[in-house]
Amino acid sequence: MAQVEATTERIIAADAEKVFDALADYSDARAKVLPEHFSEYEVREGGDGEGTLVHWKLQATSKRVRDCLLEVTEPTDGELVEKDRNSSMVTTWRVTPAGEGKSRVVVTSVWNGAGGIGGFFERTFAPKGLARIYDAELANLAAEMEK
């Protein structure tokens, strides 16, 4: 099994602290910026950063749906880590200043991919598909933050 990784980033015209606070607000702001690939969104514990337990279904393709139950931690300032209890997937959100009134958001997901020919296709196509989903989420976040 090889590790699979998907990464995308965006510059948002808003202070890093405000952007981070929005990403960490699973009770309200985060739900508003999720693209159509997410369904059955539910905060089960907490709701603001560290200690949050959140559920959603992620429709990666027309046939592939992941049932995600994520534990949220904040290991360092400006960083949210979502560990899926239902798989090996770990998603890290990093928000850093990117100049006056701007921030850079980098999101990276890693997981243990399948072996064999299925694993080859997963390593080839899954990162691009997941990056497109995160691009949509970051575009929605930027639109919300830049109002």
Side-chain angles (χ1 to χ4, degrees):
M1 269 191 280
Q3 192 169 60
V4 183
E5 181 176 315
T7 300
T8 192
E9 68 178 79
R10 185 178 187 103
I11 301 294
I12 296 178
D15 289 331
E17 188 174 315
K18 289 180 181 177
V19 172
F20 180 83
D21 288 347
L23 281 171
D25 179 6
Y26 291 87
S27 294
D28 185 44
R30 190 66 172 276
K32 290 179 182 176
V33 301
L34 293 175
E36 68 277 359
H37 301 90
F38 294 85
S39 64
E40 299 184 30
Y41 184 90
E42 175 188 21
V43 175
R44 295 193 177 166
E45 293 175 19
D48 185 22
E50 179 90 27
T52 296
L53 182 65
V54 64
H55 171 267
W56 59 61
K57 288 195 175 177
L58 172 60
Q59 178 111 23
T61 68
S62 61
K63 295 179 182 175
R64 179 79 168 125
V65 178
R66 280 184 181 258
D67 188 353
C68 303
L69 184 59
L70 305 155
E71 295 177 359
V72 179
T73 59
E74 294 183 35
T76 62
D77 284 349
E79 185 176 78
L80 285 170
V81 177
E82 302 168 343
K83 292 183 182 175
D84 187 5
R85 287 185 179 175
N86 297 333
S87 74
S88 62
M89 183 177 275
V90 176
T91 301
T92 303
W93 298 82
R94 287 185 185 87
V95 182
T96 55
E100 187 69 33
K102 293 182 182 178
S103 57
R104 170 178 277 109
V105 181
V106 179
V107 57
T108 302
S109 286
V110 294
W111 68 94
N112 297 327
I117 191 72
F120 168 77
F121 285 104
E122 181 180 21
R123 289 186 304 278
T124 302
F125 298 108
K128 292 174 185 142
L130 193 54
R132 277 193 297 275
I133 292 169
Y134 287 140
D135 281 339
E137 186 170 354
L138 290 174
N140 292 346
L141 177 65
E144 197 67 29
M145 300 303 301
E146 296 170 1
K147 281 183 179 177

mmCIF file of all heavy atoms in Angstrom, residues 22-64:
data_model
loop_
_atom_site.group_PDB
_atom_site.id
_atom_site.type_symbol
_atom_site.label_atom_id
_atom_site.label_comp_id
_atom_site.label_asym_id
_atom_site.label_seq_id
_atom_site.Cartn_x
_atom_site.Cartn_y
_atom_site.Cartn_z
ATOM 1 N N ALA A 22 -12.744 30.872 10.747
ATOM 2 C CA ALA A 22 -13.856 30.382 9.918
ATOM 3 C C ALA A 22 -13.703 28.889 9.642
ATOM 4 O O ALA A 22 -14.674 28.130 9.746
ATOM 5 C CB ALA A 22 -13.935 31.171 8.615
ATOM 6 N N LEU A 23 -12.494 28.456 9.312
ATOM 7 C CA LEU A 23 -12.266 27.026 9.060
ATOM 8 C C LEU A 23 -12.516 26.192 10.315
ATOM 9 O O LEU A 23 -13.012 25.070 10.231
ATOM 10 C CB LEU A 23 -10.835 26.789 8.567
ATOM 11 C CG LEU A 23 -10.567 27.098 7.111
ATOM 12 C CD1 LEU A 23 -9.073 27.034 6.822
ATOM 13 C CD2 LEU A 23 -11.340 26.159 6.200
ATOM 14 N N ALA A 24 -12.161 26.737 11.470
ATOM 15 C CA ALA A 24 -12.315 26.002 12.735
ATOM 16 C C ALA A 24 -13.753 26.025 13.255
ATOM 17 O O ALA A 24 -14.085 25.265 14.161
ATOM 18 C CB ALA A 24 -11.376 26.589 13.792
ATOM 19 N N ASP A 25 -14.598 26.869 12.667
ATOM 20 C CA ASP A 25 -15.999 26.996 13.100
ATOM 21 C C ASP A 25 -16.857 25.958 12.381
ATOM 22 O O ASP A 25 -17.554 26.255 11.419
ATOM 23 C CB ASP A 25 -16.504 28.408 12.821
ATOM 24 C CG ASP A 25 -17.955 28.614 13.232
ATOM 25 O OD1 ASP A 25 -18.549 27.701 13.849
ATOM 26 O OD2 ASP A 25 -18.491 29.691 12.926
ATOM 27 N N TYR A 26 -16.798 24.723 12.874
ATOM 28 C CA TYR A 26 -17.544 23.624 12.256
ATOM 29 C C TYR A 26 -19.046 23.759 12.488
ATOM 30 O O TYR A 26 -19.837 23.184 11.744
ATOM 31 C CB TYR A 26 -17.042 22.285 12.795
ATOM 32 C CG TYR A 26 -15.655 21.948 12.326
ATOM 33 C CD1 TYR A 26 -14.536 22.397 13.026
ATOM 34 C CD2 TYR A 26 -15.453 21.197 11.179
ATOM 35 C CE1 TYR A 26 -13.255 22.100 12.593
ATOM 36 C CE2 TYR A 26 -14.172 20.900 10.736
ATOM 37 C CZ TYR A 26 -13.080 21.356 11.446
ATOM 38 O OH TYR A 26 -11.811 21.066 11.009
ATOM 39 N N SER A 27 -19.460 24.503 13.503
ATOM 40 C CA SER A 27 -20.887 24.654 13.810
ATOM 41 C C SER A 27 -21.613 25.528 12.803
ATOM 42 O O SER A 27 -22.800 25.352 12.585
ATOM 43 C CB SER A 27 -21.075 25.243 15.208
ATOM 44 O OG SER A 27 -20.617 24.334 16.170
ATOM 45 N N ASP A 28 -20.892 26.479 12.191
ATOM 46 C CA ASP A 28 -21.577 27.431 11.316
ATOM 47 C C ASP A 28 -20.811 27.686 10.019
ATOM 48 O O ASP A 28 -21.211 27.231 8.959
ATOM 49 C CB ASP A 28 -21.811 28.741 12.074
ATOM 50 C CG ASP A 28 -22.626 29.738 11.283
ATOM 51 O OD1 ASP A 28 -23.628 29.338 10.669
ATOM 52 O OD2 ASP A 28 -22.244 30.927 11.265
ATOM 53 N N ALA A 29 -19.696 28.405 10.116
ATOM 54 C CA ALA A 29 -18.995 28.880 8.917
ATOM 55 C C ALA A 29 -18.537 27.747 8.004
ATOM 56 O O ALA A 29 -18.670 27.844 6.776
ATOM 57 C CB ALA A 29 -17.794 29.743 9.319
ATOM 58 N N ARG A 30 -18.019 26.678 8.573
ATOM 59 C CA ARG A 30 -17.480 25.589 7.746
ATOM 60 C C ARG A 30 -18.568 24.935 6.903
ATOM 61 O O ARG A 30 -18.389 24.662 5.721
ATOM 62 C CB ARG A 30 -16.803 24.565 8.640
ATOM 63 C CG ARG A 30 -16.003 23.516 7.907
ATOM 64 C CD ARG A 30 -14.776 24.157 7.199
ATOM 65 N NE ARG A 30 -13.931 23.141 6.667
ATOM 66 C CZ ARG A 30 -12.994 22.496 7.357
ATOM 67 N NH1 ARG A 30 -12.776 22.781 8.613
ATOM 68 N NH2 ARG A 30 -12.277 21.573 6.784
ATOM 69 N N ALA A 31 -19.721 24.710 7.503
ATOM 70 C CA ALA A 31 -20.831 24.076 6.778
ATOM 71 C C ALA A 31 -21.261 24.927 5.578
ATOM 72 O O ALA A 31 -21.670 24.385 4.550
ATOM 73 C CB ALA A 31 -22.004 23.852 7.722
ATOM 74 N N LYS A 32 -21.141 26.245 5.697
ATOM 75 C CA LYS A 32 -21.574 27.155 4.630
ATOM 76 C C LYS A 32 -20.681 27.092 3.389
ATOM 77 O O LYS A 32 -21.126 27.456 2.302
ATOM 78 C CB LYS A 32 -21.593 28.599 5.138
ATOM 79 C CG LYS A 32 -22.673 28.883 6.139
ATOM 80 C CD LYS A 32 -22.573 30.328 6.594
ATOM 81 C CE LYS A 32 -23.621 30.636 7.636
ATOM 82 N NZ LYS A 32 -23.479 32.002 8.169
ATOM 83 N N VAL A 33 -19.431 26.685 3.547
ATOM 84 C CA VAL A 33 -18.496 26.740 2.414
ATOM 85 C C VAL A 33 -18.257 25.386 1.755
ATOM 86 O O VAL A 33 -17.521 25.289 0.777
ATOM 87 C CB VAL A 33 -17.141 27.383 2.818
ATOM 88 C CG1 VAL A 33 -17.359 28.800 3.329
ATOM 89 C CG2 VAL A 33 -16.389 26.539 3.835
ATOM 90 N N LEU A 34 -18.898 24.337 2.274
ATOM 91 C CA LEU A 34 -18.709 23.017 1.675
ATOM 92 C C LEU A 34 -19.385 22.942 0.306
ATOM 93 O O LEU A 34 -20.537 23.346 0.166
ATOM 94 C CB LEU A 34 -19.289 21.924 2.589
ATOM 95 C CG LEU A 34 -18.578 21.716 3.918
ATOM 96 C CD1 LEU A 34 -19.338 20.697 4.757
ATOM 97 C CD2 LEU A 34 -17.140 21.289 3.713
ATOM 98 N N PRO A 35 -18.691 22.417 -0.696
ATOM 99 C CA PRO A 35 -19.323 22.261 -2.012
ATOM 100 C C PRO A 35 -20.298 21.075 -2.008
ATOM 101 O O PRO A 35 -20.429 20.363 -1.012
ATOM 102 C CB PRO A 35 -18.137 22.003 -2.944
ATOM 103 C CG PRO A 35 -17.047 21.488 -2.078
ATOM 104 C CD PRO A 35 -17.283 22.054 -0.697
ATOM 105 N N GLU A 36 -20.956 20.868 -3.136
ATOM 106 C CA GLU A 36 -22.001 19.852 -3.253
ATOM 107 C C GLU A 36 -21.507 18.421 -3.056
ATOM 108 O O GLU A 36 -22.315 17.511 -2.920
ATOM 109 C CB GLU A 36 -22.703 19.967 -4.619
ATOM 110 C CG GLU A 36 -21.832 19.604 -5.809
ATOM 111 C CD GLU A 36 -20.915 20.721 -6.304
ATOM 112 O OE1 GLU A 36 -20.944 21.839 -5.730
ATOM 113 O OE2 GLU A 36 -20.153 20.470 -7.251
ATOM 114 N N HIS A 37 -20.218 18.211 -3.005
ATOM 115 C CA HIS A 37 -19.658 16.870 -2.803
ATOM 116 C C HIS A 37 -19.867 16.353 -1.380
ATOM 117 O O HIS A 37 -19.661 15.189 -1.103
ATOM 118 C CB HIS A 37 -18.155 16.871 -3.120
ATOM 119 C CG HIS A 37 -17.864 17.294 -4.515
ATOM 120 N ND1 HIS A 37 -17.659 18.610 -4.841
ATOM 121 C CD2 HIS A 37 -17.774 16.593 -5.660
ATOM 122 C CE1 HIS A 37 -17.442 18.700 -6.135
ATOM 123 N NE2 HIS A 37 -17.510 17.484 -6.658
ATOM 124 N N PHE A 38 -20.237 17.251 -0.468
ATOM 125 C CA PHE A 38 -20.431 16.887 0.935
ATOM 126 C C PHE A 38 -21.917 16.792 1.250
ATOM 127 O O PHE A 38 -22.696 17.641 0.835
ATOM 128 C CB PHE A 38 -19.785 17.939 1.851
ATOM 129 C CG PHE A 38 -18.291 18.000 1.735
ATOM 130 C CD1 PHE A 38 -17.694 18.758 0.741
ATOM 131 C CD2 PHE A 38 -17.482 17.303 2.615
ATOM 132 C CE1 PHE A 38 -16.309 18.824 0.621
ATOM 133 C CE2 PHE A 38 -16.100 17.361 2.503
ATOM 134 C CZ PHE A 38 -15.517 18.116 1.504
ATOM 135 N N SER A 39 -22.288 15.767 2.021
ATOM 136 C CA SER A 39 -23.676 15.617 2.455
ATOM 137 C C SER A 39 -23.706 15.061 3.872
ATOM 138 O O SER A 39 -22.672 14.644 4.407
ATOM 139 C CB SER A 39 -24.437 14.686 1.503
ATOM 140 O OG SER A 39 -23.887 13.374 1.555
ATOM 141 N N GLU A 40 -24.884 15.045 4.454
ATOM 142 C CA GLU A 40 -25.110 14.508 5.797
ATOM 143 C C GLU A 40 -24.153 15.108 6.838
ATOM 144 O O GLU A 40 -23.673 14.422 7.738
ATOM 145 C CB GLU A 40 -25.039 12.976 5.793
ATOM 146 C CG GLU A 40 -26.097 12.350 4.901
ATOM 147 C CD GLU A 40 -26.115 10.839 4.935
ATOM 148 O OE1 GLU A 40 -25.769 10.250 5.978
ATOM 149 O OE2 GLU A 40 -26.488 10.257 3.894
ATOM 150 N N TYR A 41 -23.889 16.415 6.690
ATOM 151 C CA TYR A 41 -22.980 17.134 7.592
ATOM 152 C C TYR A 41 -23.592 17.223 8.980
ATOM 153 O O TYR A 41 -24.745 17.615 9.135
ATOM 154 C CB TYR A 41 -22.720 18.538 7.040
ATOM 155 C CG TYR A 41 -21.724 19.332 7.835
ATOM 156 C CD1 TYR A 41 -20.377 19.267 7.528
ATOM 157 C CD2 TYR A 41 -22.122 20.135 8.893
ATOM 158 C CE1 TYR A 41 -19.449 19.998 8.253
ATOM 159 C CE2 TYR A 41 -21.202 20.869 9.626
ATOM 160 C CZ TYR A 41 -19.873 20.794 9.296
ATOM 161 O OH TYR A 41 -18.956 21.506 10.018
ATOM 162 N N GLU A 42 -22.804 16.872 9.995
ATOM 163 C CA GLU A 42 -23.307 16.909 11.370
ATOM 164 C C GLU A 42 -22.153 17.050 12.356
ATOM 165 O O GLU A 42 -21.210 16.269 12.336
ATOM 166 C CB GLU A 42 -24.052 15.600 11.655
ATOM 167 C CG GLU A 42 -24.531 15.454 13.070
ATOM 168 C CD GLU A 42 -25.089 14.066 13.365
ATOM 169 O OE1 GLU A 42 -24.770 13.100 12.647
ATOM 170 O OE2 GLU A 42 -25.836 13.971 14.344
ATOM 171 N N VAL A 43 -22.235 18.070 13.205
ATOM 172 C CA VAL A 43 -21.268 18.213 14.293
ATOM 173 C C VAL A 43 -21.769 17.347 15.443
ATOM 174 O O VAL A 43 -22.881 17.543 15.930
ATOM 175 C CB VAL A 43 -21.121 19.678 14.739
ATOM 176 C CG1 VAL A 43 -20.207 19.789 15.950
ATOM 177 C CG2 VAL A 43 -20.594 20.530 13.593
ATOM 178 N N ARG A 44 -20.953 16.394 15.872
ATOM 179 C CA ARG A 44 -21.379 15.467 16.928
ATOM 180 C C ARG A 44 -20.826 15.839 18.300
ATOM 181 O O ARG A 44 -21.402 15.474 19.316
ATOM 182 C CB ARG A 44 -20.986 14.040 16.557
ATOM 183 C CG ARG A 44 -21.729 13.578 15.311
ATOM 184 C CD ARG A 44 -21.627 12.115 15.091
ATOM 185 N NE ARG A 44 -22.415 11.721 13.927
ATOM 186 C CZ ARG A 44 -22.313 10.564 13.334
ATOM 187 N NH1 ARG A 44 -21.466 9.654 13.793
ATOM 188 N NH2 ARG A 44 -23.053 10.280 12.287
ATOM 189 N N GLU A 45 -19.696 16.523 18.326
ATOM 190 C CA GLU A 45 -19.111 17.012 19.581
ATOM 191 C C GLU A 45 -18.404 18.317 19.281
ATOM 192 O O GLU A 45 -17.879 18.504 18.195
ATOM 193 C CB GLU A 45 -18.084 16.014 20.155
ATOM 194 C CG GLU A 45 -18.657 14.712 20.633
ATOM 195 C CD GLU A 45 -17.574 13.717 21.087
ATOM 196 O OE1 GLU A 45 -16.429 14.147 21.364
ATOM 197 O OE2 GLU A 45 -17.885 12.523 21.141
ATOM 198 N N GLY A 46 -18.360 19.189 20.264
ATOM 199 C CA GLY A 46 -17.642 20.458 20.108
ATOM 200 C C GLY A 46 -18.262 21.320 19.028
ATOM 201 O O GLY A 46 -19.461 21.557 19.019
ATOM 202 N N GLY A 47 -17.436 21.758 18.114
ATOM 203 C CA GLY A 47 -17.912 22.608 17.023
ATOM 204 C C GLY A 47 -16.960 23.732 16.690
ATOM 205 O O GLY A 47 -17.083 24.378 15.655
ATOM 206 N N ASP A 48 -15.968 23.958 17.588
ATOM 207 C CA ASP A 48 -14.999 25.021 17.350
ATOM 208 C C ASP A 48 -13.589 24.470 17.524
ATOM 209 O O ASP A 48 -13.063 24.410 18.633
ATOM 210 C CB ASP A 48 -15.246 26.193 18.296
ATOM 211 C CG ASP A 48 -14.337 27.377 17.993
ATOM 212 O OD1 ASP A 48 -13.833 27.469 16.848
ATOM 213 O OD2 ASP A 48 -14.128 28.201 18.887
ATOM 214 N N GLY A 49 -12.989 24.038 16.420
ATOM 215 C CA GLY A 49 -11.602 23.590 16.424
ATOM 216 C C GLY A 49 -11.343 22.351 17.250
ATOM 217 O O GLY A 49 -12.104 21.375 17.194
ATOM 218 N N GLU A 50 -10.256 22.395 18.012
ATOM 219 C CA GLU A 50 -9.790 21.278 18.839
ATOM 220 C C GLU A 50 -10.950 20.619 19.596
ATOM 221 O O GLU A 50 -11.764 21.301 20.217
ATOM 222 C CB GLU A 50 -8.756 21.793 19.844
ATOM 223 C CG GLU A 50 -8.210 20.746 20.783
ATOM 224 C CD GLU A 50 -6.973 20.039 20.266
ATOM 225 O OE1 GLU A 50 -6.229 20.643 19.466
ATOM 226 O OE2 GLU A 50 -6.759 18.882 20.643
ATOM 227 N N GLY A 51 -11.018 19.288 19.510
ATOM 228 C CA GLY A 51 -12.045 18.550 20.235
ATOM 229 C C GLY A 51 -13.341 18.349 19.472
ATOM 230 O O GLY A 51 -14.246 17.677 19.955
ATOM 231 N N THR A 52 -13.422 18.915 18.281
ATOM 232 C CA THR A 52 -14.630 18.735 17.476
ATOM 233 C C THR A 52 -14.646 17.338 16.869
ATOM 234 O O THR A 52 -13.614 16.803 16.464
ATOM 235 C CB THR A 52 -14.692 19.799 16.352
ATOM 236 O OG1 THR A 52 -14.805 21.081 16.951
ATOM 237 C CG2 THR A 52 -15.858 19.572 15.409
ATOM 238 N N LEU A 53 -15.832 16.768 16.812
ATOM 239 C CA LEU A 53 -16.076 15.504 16.103
ATOM 240 C C LEU A 53 -17.175 15.816 15.094
ATOM 241 O O LEU A 53 -18.277 16.212 15.471
ATOM 242 C CB LEU A 53 -16.510 14.400 17.064
ATOM 243 C CG LEU A 53 -16.736 13.023 16.443
ATOM 244 C CD1 LEU A 53 -15.427 12.460 15.888
ATOM 245 C CD2 LEU A 53 -17.318 12.069 17.476
ATOM 246 N N VAL A 54 -16.840 15.684 13.819
ATOM 247 C CA VAL A 54 -17.772 16.068 12.755
ATOM 248 C C VAL A 54 -17.928 14.913 11.769
ATOM 249 O O VAL A 54 -16.972 14.174 11.506
ATOM 250 C CB VAL A 54 -17.302 17.373 12.059
ATOM 251 C CG1 VAL A 54 -15.984 17.189 11.352
ATOM 252 C CG2 VAL A 54 -18.345 17.907 11.098
ATOM 253 N N HIS A 55 -19.140 14.757 11.261
ATOM 254 C CA HIS A 55 -19.447 13.692 10.299
ATOM 255 C C HIS A 55 -19.896 14.312 8.984
ATOM 256 O O HIS A 55 -20.559 15.346 8.973
ATOM 257 C CB HIS A 55 -20.578 12.809 10.840
ATOM 258 C CG HIS A 55 -21.079 11.836 9.813
ATOM 259 N ND1 HIS A 55 -22.146 12.121 8.990
ATOM 260 C CD2 HIS A 55 -20.645 10.600 9.465
ATOM 261 C CE1 HIS A 55 -22.354 11.092 8.179
ATOM 262 N NE2 HIS A 55 -21.458 10.159 8.441
ATOM 263 N N TRP A 56 -19.500 13.680 7.886
ATOM 264 C CA TRP A 56 -20.065 14.003 6.577
ATOM 265 C C TRP A 56 -19.826 12.841 5.646
ATOM 266 O O TRP A 56 -19.019 11.959 5.924
ATOM 267 C CB TRP A 56 -19.511 15.288 5.989
ATOM 268 C CG TRP A 56 -18.027 15.354 5.770
ATOM 269 C CD1 TRP A 56 -17.260 14.564 4.962
ATOM 270 C CD2 TRP A 56 -17.120 16.302 6.343
ATOM 271 N NE1 TRP A 56 -15.945 14.956 4.999
ATOM 272 C CE2 TRP A 56 -15.835 16.026 5.837
ATOM 273 C CE3 TRP A 56 -17.288 17.368 7.214
ATOM 274 C CZ2 TRP A 56 -14.715 16.763 6.187
ATOM 275 C CZ3 TRP A 56 -16.162 18.102 7.565
ATOM 276 C CH2 TRP A 56 -14.902 17.808 7.056
ATOM 277 N N LYS A 57 -20.542 12.861 4.539
ATOM 278 C CA LYS A 57 -20.273 11.922 3.455
ATOM 279 C C LYS A 57 -19.664 12.737 2.335
ATOM 280 O O LYS A 57 -20.152 13.820 2.003
ATOM 281 C CB LYS A 57 -21.543 11.212 3.003
ATOM 282 C CG LYS A 57 -21.995 10.197 4.036
ATOM 283 C CD LYS A 57 -23.005 9.233 3.498
ATOM 284 C CE LYS A 57 -23.295 8.189 4.581
ATOM 285 N NZ LYS A 57 -24.335 7.261 4.155
ATOM 286 N N LEU A 58 -18.576 12.220 1.792
ATOM 287 C CA LEU A 58 -17.857 12.891 0.714
ATOM 288 C C LEU A 58 -18.035 12.073 -0.557
ATOM 289 O O LEU A 58 -17.597 10.920 -0.626
ATOM 290 C CB LEU A 58 -16.371 13.022 1.061
ATOM 291 C CG LEU A 58 -15.450 13.536 -0.044
ATOM 292 C CD1 LEU A 58 -15.868 14.922 -0.509
ATOM 293 C CD2 LEU A 58 -14.006 13.545 0.433
ATOM 294 N N GLN A 59 -18.710 12.652 -1.533
ATOM 295 C CA GLN A 59 -18.934 11.993 -2.821
ATOM 296 C C GLN A 59 -17.777 12.374 -3.729
ATOM 297 O O GLN A 59 -17.782 13.406 -4.387
ATOM 298 C CB GLN A 59 -20.266 12.444 -3.419
ATOM 299 C CG GLN A 59 -20.545 11.848 -4.772
ATOM 300 C CD GLN A 59 -21.683 10.856 -4.741
ATOM 301 O OE1 GLN A 59 -22.517 10.898 -3.859
ATOM 302 N NE2 GLN A 59 -21.706 9.960 -5.686
ATOM 303 N N ALA A 60 -16.748 11.516 -3.739
ATOM 304 C CA ALA A 60 -15.539 11.805 -4.511
ATOM 305 C C ALA A 60 -15.774 11.640 -6.009
ATOM 306 O O ALA A 60 -15.265 12.420 -6.811
ATOM 307 C CB ALA A 60 -14.408 10.900 -4.048
ATOM 308 N N THR A 61 -16.536 10.623 -6.386
ATOM 309 C CA THR A 61 -16.913 10.387 -7.785
ATOM 310 C C THR A 61 -18.361 9.929 -7.784
ATOM 311 O O THR A 61 -18.969 9.767 -6.732
ATOM 312 C CB THR A 61 -16.044 9.285 -8.437
ATOM 313 O OG1 THR A 61 -16.356 8.029 -7.829
ATOM 314 C CG2 THR A 61 -14.557 9.572 -8.304
ATOM 315 N N SER A 62 -18.897 9.669 -8.970
ATOM 316 C CA SER A 62 -20.293 9.223 -9.031
ATOM 317 C C SER A 62 -20.491 7.886 -8.308
ATOM 318 O O SER A 62 -21.579 7.593 -7.836
ATOM 319 C CB SER A 62 -20.748 9.100 -10.485
ATOM 320 O OG SER A 62 -19.957 8.153 -11.173
ATOM 321 N N LYS A 63 -19.427 7.102 -8.202
ATOM 322 C CA LYS A 63 -19.540 5.786 -7.567
ATOM 323 C C LYS A 63 -18.851 5.696 -6.207
ATOM 324 O O LYS A 63 -19.061 4.742 -5.480
ATOM 325 C CB LYS A 63 -18.946 4.713 -8.485
ATOM 326 C CG LYS A 63 -19.696 4.548 -9.776
ATOM 327 C CD LYS A 63 -19.056 3.503 -10.653
ATOM 328 C CE LYS A 63 -19.804 3.391 -11.966
ATOM 329 N NZ LYS A 63 -19.127 2.474 -12.878
ATOM 330 N N ARG A 64 -18.018 6.656 -5.873
ATOM 331 C CA ARG A 64 -17.202 6.569 -4.662
ATOM 332 C C ARG A 64 -17.684 7.571 -3.618
ATOM 333 O O ARG A 64 -17.580 8.775 -3.810
ATOM 334 C CB ARG A 64 -15.739 6.841 -5.006
ATOM 335 C CG ARG A 64 -14.803 6.810 -3.840
ATOM 336 C CD ARG A 64 -14.460 5.381 -3.452
ATOM 337 N NE ARG A 64 -13.362 5.384 -2.521
ATOM 338 C CZ ARG A 64 -13.394 4.807 -1.342
ATOM 339 N NH1 ARG A 64 -14.445 4.127 -0.965
ATOM 340 N NH2 ARG A 64 -12.356 4.853 -0.545
#
